[in-house]
Amino acid sequence: MMKEDGNIQTETQRLKPTNPSAVSAVIVSASLMVIFSISNARYTYVHDQKYPSEDVDIHHIVSRSGSAKYVFVYASAFLVLACSMYLHVLKGKSISLVYCTLLFDICLIKLLLGTPVKKESVVIMPAFGVQLETHYVSGKITRFFVPIDKILKPVLIECVSPVTCYWTLSLIIHGESEMVLVFKKSHPPVKMLVHVWRALCAATDSKEETFTKAE
């Protein structure tokens, strides 16, 4: 009997994690269950549920923008700034040229990169409402909550123009003249939007309908 206790103690010590952060990582990963995911070149759609309440339905649109774009933009800005510094130091050009170049670089980075978005999430809580989240690369998160009794219908709209055709997912809100766009920063394809749309229809007891909008 003493031998069995010793084996149990040895096994417990072997399984005990040495890094406390590993425990929290296991708990976080265990609290989410990925149900379904699909990807294309620009986005990854992930559908998961959060424990202990499986009624909380979460849908993510994750941006897959590579780092090559950021490297190119920052390298170009640095090259332009280096050229202005060269002209100022070695050619005797005015220091105002450096200041103007720096201002130009800031505007260029802001114009080409904007505020990078990491992902957009839709958290569906059938008893309470829908929370729309935008997660930025900087760590900033914006949230917008819509009570479930205010949602008249989620609509999947095909927008057609002379040069392009794309889909959007919006919420028709009671007492509001304008619809609420579910994904404000991302433009995922309809094969991803349809999963979120059906989940919203189920949560709001709405009939599944699509619309076409000519621009």
Side-chain angles (χ1 to χ4, degrees), residues 16-30:
K16 185 178 180 180
T18 57
N19 186 1
S21 63
V23 178
S24 60
V26 171
I27 293 174
V28 171
S29 62

Side-chain angles (χ1 to χ4, degrees), residues 146-152 172-175:
V146 184
I148 198 69
D149 57 349
K150 293 288 186 180
I151 302 176
L152 296 179
I172 299 178
I173 307 300
H174 177 72

Side-chain angles (χ1 to χ4, degrees), residues 66-160:
S67 60
K69 178 181 178 181
Y70 298 97
V71 172
F72 174 77
V73 172
Y74 282 111
S76 300
F78 176 78
L79 182 61
V80 173
L81 182 61
C83 291
S84 67
M85 291 292 293
Y86 169 80
L87 293 174
H88 169 65
V89 175
L90 299 180
K91 300 296 183 179
K93 297 295 182 180
S94 174
I95 188 64
S96 60
L97 175 64
V98 178
Y99 293 144
C100 292
T101 303
L102 184 60
L103 182 61
F104 171 78
D105 284 347
I106 294 174
C107 295
L108 178 67
I109 293 173
K110 188 69 176 178
L111 177 65
L112 296 180
L113 297 183
T115 306
V117 173
K118 183 179 180 181
K119 68 176 180 179
E120 290 193 86
S121 303
V122 181
V123 183
I124 303 174
M125 298 167 282
F128 301 101
V130 176
Q131 181 164 284
L132 309 178
E133 301 179 354
T134 302
H135 299 249
Y136 295 88
V137 174
S138 62
K140 177 185 175 181
I141 302 176
T142 60
R143 296 181 174 91
F144 180 74
F145 182 79
V146 184
I148 198 69
D149 57 349
K150 293 288 186 180
I151 302 176
L152 296 179
K153 182 189 291 289
V155 290
L156 195 59
I157 304 175
E158 182 184 19
C159 302
V160 181

Side-chain angles (χ1 to χ4, degrees), residues 5-16:
D5 292 341
N7 290 339
I8 293 174
Q9 183 178 4
T10 303
E11 186 70 14
T12 303
Q13 292 175 348
R14 185 179 68 84
L15 294 176
K16 185 178 180 180

